[in-house]
């Protein structure tokens, strides 16, 4: 195999290596937490906390109502039990019962308000929760797909490197150095000749260069300086 052909093969492998590495980089950037999942999880947590707060308020109001009911019952038993006769004491006790009942009414109204809020908050938690689950499921399957793609690309990368190694070993170091320099400068080091034209820079090549290329000698385009390859 002539050197130009070897270099052209090397270039094909290198181009594929580059695009594979690019694809890998792109996939790595997509792996990891997703913004919608993170923000929906945070929203769910804060909605759940709000609901828990409301339920705590409701329970504490209910306990207080129970407590007041016990106090009212005890006071009314005393009031109507017939053992108390002092009018002043009876009037004071009646006043206590009235204010306990007023406090209980107030708490009952408050409890009803809280229960309405609990209902709204429960619905909201359910809504955000199902949205979160859907997002998370989608994210999981996407991540699995990306991981599988990544695995494939890594395998491809190692295959390409294995193919490149023996090929580059056949080419003399000086030519390889020239190839690397041209690649750095121009992106590609080898240009195909098609219909007498250098595909690297699109100029028509002089007959002498075409003849040299045809004979298999490594020749460079006089215009773009790439190594010419005649397929
Ligand atoms: Zn050229």
């Amino acid at each position: 195999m002539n050197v130009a052909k070897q270099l052209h093969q090397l270039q094909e492998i290198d181009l594929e290596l580059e695009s594979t590495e690019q694809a890998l980089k792109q996939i790595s950037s997509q792996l990891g937490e997703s913004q919608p999942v993170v923000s929906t999880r945070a929203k769910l947590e804060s909605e759940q906390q709000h609901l828990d707060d409301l339920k705590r308020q409701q329970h504490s109001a209910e306990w207080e109502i129970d407590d007041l009911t016990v106090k009212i019952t005890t006071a009314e038993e005393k009031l109507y039990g017939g053992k108390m006769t002092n009018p002043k004491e009876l009037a004071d006790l009646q006043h206590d019962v009235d204010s306990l009942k007023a406090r209980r009414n107030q708490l009952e109204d408050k409890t009803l308000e809280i229960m309405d809020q609990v209902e709204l908050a429960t619905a909201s938690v359910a809504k955000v929760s199902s949205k979160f689950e859907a997002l998370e499921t989608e994210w999981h399957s996407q991540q699995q797909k990306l991981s599988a793609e990544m695995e494939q690309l890594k395998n491809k990368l190692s295959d390409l490197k294995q193919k490149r190694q023996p090929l580059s070993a056949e080419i003399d170091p000086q030519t390889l150095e020239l190839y690397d320099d041209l690649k750095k400068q121009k992106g590609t080091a080898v240009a195909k000749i098609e219909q007498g034209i250098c595909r690297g820079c699109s100029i028509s090549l002089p007959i002498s260069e075409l003849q040299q290329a045809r004979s298999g000698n490594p020749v460079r385009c006089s215009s773009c300086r790439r190594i010419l390859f005649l397929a």
Side-chain angles (χ1 to χ4, degrees):
M1 197 186 335
N2 69 49
V3 180
K5 190 169 184 184
Q6 285 174 325
L7 288 172
H8 183 256
Q9 277 188 2
L10 195 66
Q11 175 163 291
E12 297 279 281
I13 292 174
D14 282 347
L15 288 174
E16 228 181 320
L17 270 170
E18 266 169 44
S19 73
T20 309
E21 270 161 3
Q22 198 101 44
L24 258 176
K25 223 186 250 176
Q26 225 234 323
I27 285 182
S28 318
S29 73
Q30 287 175 281
L31 279 170
E33 292 263 53
S34 97
Q35 198 44 47
V37 171
V38 171
S39 64
T40 310
R41 184 192 294 127
K43 187 163 191 242
L44 180 59
E45 277 167 8
S46 93
E47 297 263 345
Q48 184 64 55
Q49 200 167 23
H50 177 56
L51 177 60
D52 292 345
D53 280 348
L54 286 169
K55 282 182 175 169
R56 258 194 298 277
Q57 285 177 38
Q58 184 188 338
H59 289 146
S60 117
E62 282 167 353
W63 282 327
E64 208 183 326
I65 288 170
D66 287 348
D67 191 39
L68 286 167
T69 303
V70 171
K71 281 181 180 154
I72 290 165
T73 311
T74 313
E76 282 182 331
E77 276 167 6
K78 259 186 180 174
L79 196 59
Y80 305 120
K83 284 182 186 163
M84 281 177 74
T85 47
N86 184 324
K88 167 84 171 78
E89 279 179 353
L90 281 169
D92 284 351
L93 193 54
Q94 182 63 59
H95 179 76
D96 286 351
V97 168
D98 290 346
S99 67
L100 287 170
K101 281 184 173 170
R103 171 71 187 143
R104 188 172 62 178
N105 282 341
Q106 212 178 26
L107 277 172
E108 279 168 348
D109 288 347
K110 190 182 155 194
T111 307
L112 287 175
E113 272 172 37
I114 296 172
M115 282 164 79
D116 282 347
Q117 288 178 42
V118 165
E119 203 178 318
L120 288 175
T122 304
S124 177
V125 165
K127 198 174 142 196
V128 179
S129 172
S130 74
K131 184 182 168 194
F132 173 68
E133 273 169 33
L135 278 172
E136 207 189 29
T137 306
E138 192 196 311
W139 175 78
H140 265 300
S141 77
Q142 192 205 30
Q143 294 289 303
Q144 272 180 343
K145 223 174 94 187
L146 288 173
S147 297
E149 272 176 47
M150 199 156 170
E151 206 49 46
Q152 271 184 345
L153 287 171
K154 278 181 180 169
N155 287 339
K156 189 178 171 192
L157 210 58
S158 91
D159 284 352
L160 286 167
K161 281 177 183 168
Q162 267 182 16
K163 252 165 90 181
R164 190 187 197 279
Q165 209 280 325
L167 189 63
S168 66
E170 282 177 40
I171 304 165
D172 75 90
Q174 251 183 322
T175 309
L176 268 183
E177 209 175 305
L178 171 67
Y179 169 87
D180 285 334
D181 285 347
L182 283 168
K183 196 169 94 166
K184 254 178 233 148
Q185 285 168 31
K186 300 173 184 294
T188 52
V190 183
K192 254 188 181 173
I193 301 169
E194 274 169 359
Q195 291 165 333
I197 289 167
C198 165
R199 279 293 155 210
C201 64
S202 302
I203 69 141
S204 286
L205 294 160
I207 301 289
S208 60
E209 283 176 24
L210 282 174
Q211 277 170 346
Q212 276 196 59
R214 213 166 274 138
S215 70
N217 292 327
V219 58
R220 292 169 67 184
C221 169
S222 52
S223 166
C224 71
R225 308 300 295 149
R226 286 185 178 89
I227 301 156
L228 292 168
F229 166 61
L230 190 68

